[in-house]
Amino acid sequence: MARGPEFADDHIRLPADAWLPRTTLTAADVRDADPGASPPELRTRSGETVFVPAGLRAELERFCARNGIPLRRRQDVWGDLLDPFLDTWFTPEEEAATLARLDRAGLAPAEVAAIRERVAPLMRAHNHMLWEWHALGLGDLLAAAAGSLVPDHLRIPPQERAAFRAWAMEIADRPARRTVRGDGRAAGTGGRRPRAR
């Protein structure tokens, strides 16, 4: 992450990046935030995840307190989806627990397999350069899709980025949308181990 957002009393200015032009979010645009995530994040009412550099965690917390924005720990759906691309191994019990969390988030095993197949070339190339063994998530997926660590032929072309980003954000927000639909399942960590960086 290069430059982070700029917090004002009732809005946040987001810098332009490979995915979005510079934009402003009002406090009313923000559904909730998770300053404890790694990296800290906020989620808009439309389901977009915005990452905040760890050095701005306190500013994010103050912004949320000032504007009555709820703090919520969210399930790291992409963290679970990207586990196979980490430079480590998982026991069959850990893999089963991951699939169970994803199922509770609304991702059946067949969809999990299809998502992993779609991002496999991208994430393998990305983590071949990083050798990350502890945690990969949505931020890593977006960095891989538009970043310089991945060969050009694997990156998401600029004209396809909006659709790719919308797809990735929808998946990340699926547990919250299930709760909003009233299926009785709370959006939370679902027992996911913390991902510290």
Side-chain angles (χ1 to χ4, degrees):
M1 272 177 259
R3 218 177 54 138
E6 299 167 8
F7 291 90
D9 283 343
D10 64 351
H11 65 278
I12 306 166
R13 285 183 294 280
L14 304 176
D17 63 18
W19 297 95
L20 294 173
R22 182 176 170 90
T23 190
T24 299
L25 291 176
T26 67
D29 294 329
V30 181
R31 183 176 74 206
D32 57 52
D34 186 357
S38 187
E41 60 186 48
L42 58 86
R43 189 149 297 150
T44 67
R45 294 196 182 279
S46 64
E48 295 279 319
T49 299
V50 176
F51 298 104
V52 176
L56 296 178
R57 179 176 280 121
E59 284 191 58
L60 173 62
E61 290 173 339
R62 285 191 295 270
F63 178 81
C64 291
R66 220 175 20 249
N67 291 286
I69 296 168
L71 302 183
R72 291 206 172 92
R73 187 84 177 137
R74 293 185 286 259
Q75 180 178 351
D76 186 357
V77 174
W78 276 105
D80 281 331
L81 286 167
L82 298 178
D83 270 356
F85 309 109
L86 290 169
D87 186 33
T88 191
W89 60 273
F90 294 93
T91 66
E93 294 80 15
E94 288 170 325
E95 290 173 6
T98 296
L99 289 175
R101 281 191 302 275
L102 288 168
D103 187 59
R104 286 191 303 271
L107 291 133
E111 185 177 11
V112 169
I115 290 167
R116 287 175 169 170
E117 184 177 340
R118 179 177 181 183
V119 301
L122 189 63
M123 293 313 298
R124 283 191 183 115
H126 180 73
N127 209 34
H128 177 74
M129 300 301 291
L130 295 179
W131 296 92
E132 177 63 54
W133 61 273
H134 184 68
L136 291 169
L138 176 60
D140 298 291
L141 175 67
L142 297 178
S148 61
L149 291 181
V150 174
D152 288 345
H153 72 280
L154 293 177
R155 282 186 229 147
I156 304 300
Q159 67 274 18
E160 296 175 20
R161 286 184 186 159
F164 183 85
R165 186 175 192 280
W167 171 76
M169 293 290 173
E170 184 277 325
I171 291 168
D173 200 37
R174 189 126 358 135
R177 288 186 312 105
R178 288 172 60 86
T179 299
V180 168
R181 282 198 310 247
D183 70 356
R185 296 181 186 171
T189 61
R192 178 76 182 161
R193 63 189 178 279
R195 293 181 171 268
R197 293 208 184 208

